[in-house]
Each structure stands twice: as structure tokens, then as C-alpha cells.
């Protein structure tokens, strides 16, 4: 299968050996079924070993895998009757943000997602999933529309961060992100956010102030991308793998810190192996959380959202000393 990552190469080599043995048996009309069965059993054991011990840096590469399903891929598999809406009614239509109206199990919802490209041409068109201010303002326009018509909001997060160029700064990038944070906190409808790939910095958070934040098993979510952290700590973005190991960016880390509410399982090997299974798992998780939130009125939903974020970031003085020591050692390295 194309697109294997370095840590998957032992599996690739073993699959190749199995295929070669089967082909040789067919050509020479020799029965190698026992040998093939032993190799396949060995493959199953190795596969379990590889995918049950994926490191944070390896998860980072899985989250960024070119074949990973995008927001539009998942929207098409999870929702029905989707109608995409465009523009922020102020400047233009940012293709790094997609959004519109669809149905989830027959229930009308508003869906907003960050969209990266499948190839170089589309990535350039969509700014590699990094939105300009008009993208965040388009998202906020659709959220206000959903609030007006009492539609739940589903956001799909997949970005390394907001677009960092001059054009974005000139059009008010920081204000657009800050406004989304404030306005999302006051929405009177259920908001469920799903990190489907990489959730980086304010670009991710601008769509992630929800009652529930979910993450795919191999997604990552952090205040800054590992590349950005490496650039700051070591003046060397190539040390992103080392930064990823220290930053607590995985779904398991964030569930433990109560930043997210649920880890959505992925097919073995990652979401890019099976789009349908990934979409089904996300759909089930979203629906369950929507059912839990459906009994809350507008005021209760706002309070629920406030309490969710208010509890994040608690620590003891002993923990702070450990974190400070670890950070100092990391910088020294």
C-alpha cells in the first residue's frame, strides 16, 4: 500500500515476502500454504506490536498523512443533503474553511471544517488548510446562522495553524480568531468539535470552543505545531519529532488532562486505511454526544461550555516544578 511511514516498513517487508511466496507457489505449482500461514500469523503479531506502540512523533506523521480523510471526505460520508455555503459577506470566500447545512440521522445541523488539499495544486488553493481572517469570519457567520435557527454545530478541525502571512495580518487575523473564541462561548446551541488530523494553535482553537471536543485516535492537538515549537526552542524546525515527544499532543494525553471528552478509534494503521470505518466511528460519537446535550436549554449549554474550559489547566505546585525542570532540560538538549 502506498504512503507507508518509516515505522511501518517492517510490515511492508513482511507483506512483500508473503506476496512473493504466494506468487512463487503459483508459478512453480508448489504448495506453500503452511509457510504462508506461518508468515501471516507472524505478520498479525508484528502488526499488533507496531500499532499498539505508536509514539507521539509517529502519531504526528499519521495525523499529517497525505491520504488521511479531509473534512469534505468525512462530510460526504457522515452527513446527508449537505449544501455548502460560501463567503464571509465582508471580503471573500476562503477555501481553507468549508461549511454548510446538512443532516445527521435526519437532524438538520451546521457543519464547518478546515480543508487541506489532496495534492500540491489543491493545497495551494486551500492554503494547506490554514485559514485567513475571512475563513474564520465565514465560519462565524454560519455559526450565528445556526444559532438563529437552533441547529447544532459540528466542526471538523485539521490545520497546522492560521495562515501566518502578511495578507492575513493586514486583514485582522488575531481579531478574527479572538472574535470566534468569544462568540462561540456564547452560542445557545450544542457545539461538538472533532479533531480529525492536526489541530494547531489558534487556527484550530477558533473552531474548537465547543461543549464537547473529540479527537481521532491518531490526531494531534496543541498550542503550537511541533515544527513551530522546535523552531523556538532549538532554532531548528527539523527537530519537530523531538518536540512532539515532549509536548503532550496525543489524544491520550489530552483526555488525561480533560482537554477533550472522547477518543474516537481509528482503523488499524490509521484513518487513511478505511474512510468508511473512520466516518462511522465519528458519526456514532457525535450522535451520542448530541443526544446527551439535547436536553439542555440555551443557558445550560453556555454554562456547560464555560465549565468545560474552566476546569482545564489545573495543576499543583509540585507538578509545576516538574514541568519547569523538564522544560529546562529540553532546552539544554
Amino acid at each position: 500500500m502506498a504512503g507507508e511511514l518509516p515505522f511501518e516498513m517492517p510490515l511492508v517487508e513482511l507483506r512483500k515476502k508473503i506476496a512473493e511466496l504466494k506468487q512463487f507457489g503459483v508459478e512453480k505449482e508448489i504448495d506453500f500454504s503452511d509457510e504462508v500461514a506461518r508468515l501471516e500469523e507472524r505478520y498479525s503479531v508484528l502488526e499488533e506490536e507496531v500499532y499498539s506502540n505508536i509514539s507521539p512523533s509517529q502519531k504526528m506523521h499519521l495525523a499529517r498523512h497525505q491520504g488521511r480523510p479531509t473534512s469534505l471526505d468525512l462530510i460526504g460520508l457522515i452527513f446527508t443533503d449537505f449544501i455548502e455555503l460560501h463567503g464571509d459577506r465582508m471580503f471573500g470566500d476562503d477555501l481553507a474553511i468549508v461549511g454548510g447545512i446538512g443532516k445527521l440521522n435526519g437532524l438538520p445541523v451546521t457543519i464547518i471544517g478546515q480543508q487541506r488539499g489532496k495534492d500540491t495544486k489543491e493545497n495551494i488553493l486551500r492554503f494547506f488548510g490554514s485559514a485567513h481572517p475571512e475563513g474564520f469570519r465565514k465560519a462565524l457567520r454560519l455559526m450565528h446562522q445556526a444559532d438563529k435557527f437552533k441547529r447544532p454545530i459540528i466542526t471538523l478541525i485539521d490545520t497546522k495553524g492560521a495562515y501566518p502571512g502578511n495578507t492575513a495580518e493586514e486583514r485582522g487575523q488575531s481579531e478574527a480568531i479572538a472574535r470566534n473564541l468569544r462568540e462561540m462561548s456564547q452560542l445557545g446551541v450544542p457545539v461538538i468539535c472533532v479533531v480529525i488530523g492536526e489541530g494547531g494553535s489558534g487556527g484550530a482553537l477558533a473552531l474548537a470552543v465547543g461543549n464537547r471536543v473529540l479527537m481521532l485516535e491518531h490526531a494531534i492537538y496543541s498550542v503550537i505545531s511541533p515544527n513551530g515549537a522546535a523552531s523556538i526552542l532549538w532554532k531548528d524546525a527539523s527537530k519537530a519529532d523531538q518536540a512532539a515527544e515532549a509536548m503532550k499532543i496525543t489524544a491520550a494525553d489530552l483526555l488525561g488532562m480533560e482537554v477533550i471528552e472522547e477518543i474516537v478509534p481509528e482503523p488499524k494503521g490509521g484513518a487513511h486505511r478505511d474512510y468508511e470505518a473512520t466516518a462511522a466511528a465519528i458519526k456514532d460519537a457525535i450522535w451520542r454526544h448530541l443526544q446527551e446535550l439535547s436536553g439542555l436549554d440555551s443557558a445550560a449549554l453556555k454554562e456547560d461550555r464555560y465549565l468545560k474550559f474552566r476546569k482545564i489547566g489545573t495543576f499543583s505546585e509540585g507538578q509545576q516544578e516538574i514541568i519547569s525542570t523538564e522544560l529546562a532540560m529540553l532546552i539544554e538538549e
Side-chain angles (χ1 to χ4, degrees):
M1 183 178 291
E4 281 86 359
L5 297 170
F7 72 90
E8 296 176 295
M9 293 315 294
L11 291 171
V12 175
E13 294 300 323
L14 190 50
R15 275 205 306 267
K16 184 178 178 181
K17 288 180 181 178
I18 293 171
E20 289 174 349
L21 186 58
K22 287 180 177 179
Q23 182 64 28
F24 185 74
V26 171
E27 292 174 355
K28 301 299 182 180
E29 297 183 353
I30 302 173
D31 184 10
F32 289 118
S33 57
D34 290 342
E35 289 79 0
V36 169
R38 282 196 293 270
L39 285 176
E40 288 179 338
E41 183 179 353
R42 180 180 166 193
Y43 180 87
S44 297
V45 173
L46 181 61
E47 184 181 45
E48 183 63 30
E49 182 181 322
V50 168
Y51 292 129
S52 62
N53 294 287
I54 301 177
S55 69
S57 61
Q58 290 168 343
K59 283 181 179 287
M60 177 184 72
H61 292 292
L62 276 173
R64 294 174 174 177
H65 196 286
Q66 187 61 32
R68 198 170 178 85
T70 65
S71 290
L72 284 177
D73 290 328
L74 294 172
I75 287 170
L77 291 168
I78 296 172
F79 305 96
T80 57
D81 303 315
F82 178 68
I83 301 172
E84 186 174 355
L85 303 175
H86 298 272
D88 67 340
R89 303 298 187 266
M90 295 177 68
F91 180 85
D93 186 34
D94 187 346
L95 298 182
I97 298 284
V98 296
I101 304 168
K103 291 182 179 178
L104 178 66
N105 292 335
L107 176 71
V109 296
T110 289
I111 311 110
I112 303 165
Q114 287 155 329
Q115 179 69 19
R116 54 181 173 79
K118 288 287 191 178
D119 53 33
T120 301
K121 182 178 180 180
E122 190 181 1
N123 267 321
I124 292 171
L125 186 67
R126 296 189 183 276
F127 301 101
F128 292 83
S130 295
H132 281 70
E134 54 268 27
F136 296 121
R137 289 170 183 147
K138 172 168 71 172
L140 186 58
R141 179 177 75 82
L142 297 180
M143 291 178 199
H144 282 155
Q145 182 194 77
D147 196 30
K148 177 179 180 179
F149 292 102
K150 305 304 178 187
R151 287 193 300 266
I153 298 168
I154 314 298
T155 68
L156 303 176
I157 297 159
D158 187 13
T159 182
K160 291 184 179 180
Y163 188 74
N166 288 341
T167 54
E169 294 302 319
E170 288 167 357
R171 298 202 284 270
Q173 186 72 290
S174 59
E175 187 277 339
I177 293 172
R179 185 179 294 273
N180 274 31
L181 304 184
R182 185 188 71 183
E183 297 296 315
M184 286 188 78
S185 71
Q186 293 303 306
L187 293 169
V189 295
V191 182
I192 296 178
C193 313
V194 188
V195 184
I196 62 172
E198 180 171 10
S201 193
L205 193 58
L207 294 186
V209 183
N211 297 90
R212 302 288 185 271
V213 179
L214 320 178
M215 280 182 72
L216 280 177
E217 182 181 358
H218 300 312
I220 60 173
Y221 188 31
S222 61
V223 69
I224 187 173
S225 72
N227 306 72
S231 296
I232 293 170
L233 289 174
W234 300 292
K235 312 299 181 187
D236 184 358
S238 67
K239 293 186 176 181
D241 283 1
Q242 189 174 346
E245 296 290 340
M247 289 173 62
K248 306 294 185 186
I249 61 175
T250 70
D253 291 326
L254 295 164
L255 183 65
M257 294 186 287
E258 297 186 280
V259 174
I260 67 171
E261 278 68 47
E262 183 176 338
I263 299 172
V264 181
E266 296 187 27
K268 191 169 291 184
H272 60 285
R273 303 290 186 190
D274 190 335
Y275 282 23
E276 288 77 12
T278 301
I282 294 173
K283 182 178 181 178
D284 175 70
I286 291 174
W287 185 248
R288 281 190 287 101
H289 286 283
L290 269 183
Q291 294 298 101
E292 292 174 9
L293 295 169
S294 62
L296 302 181
D297 61 18
S298 176
L301 286 167
K302 294 176 187 178
E303 180 68 10
D304 175 82
R305 205 173 300 129
Y306 170 79
L307 293 175
K308 173 201 162 33
F309 285 92
R310 188 69 180 86
K311 70 183 179 183
I312 296 174
T314 58
F315 60 89
S316 68
E317 291 184 8
Q319 287 176 317
Q320 179 62 27
E321 290 172 4
I322 292 171
I323 293 169
S324 299
T325 302
E326 289 178 345
L327 182 58
M329 291 173 64
L330 185 62
I331 294 172
E332 288 175 3
E333 291 174 4

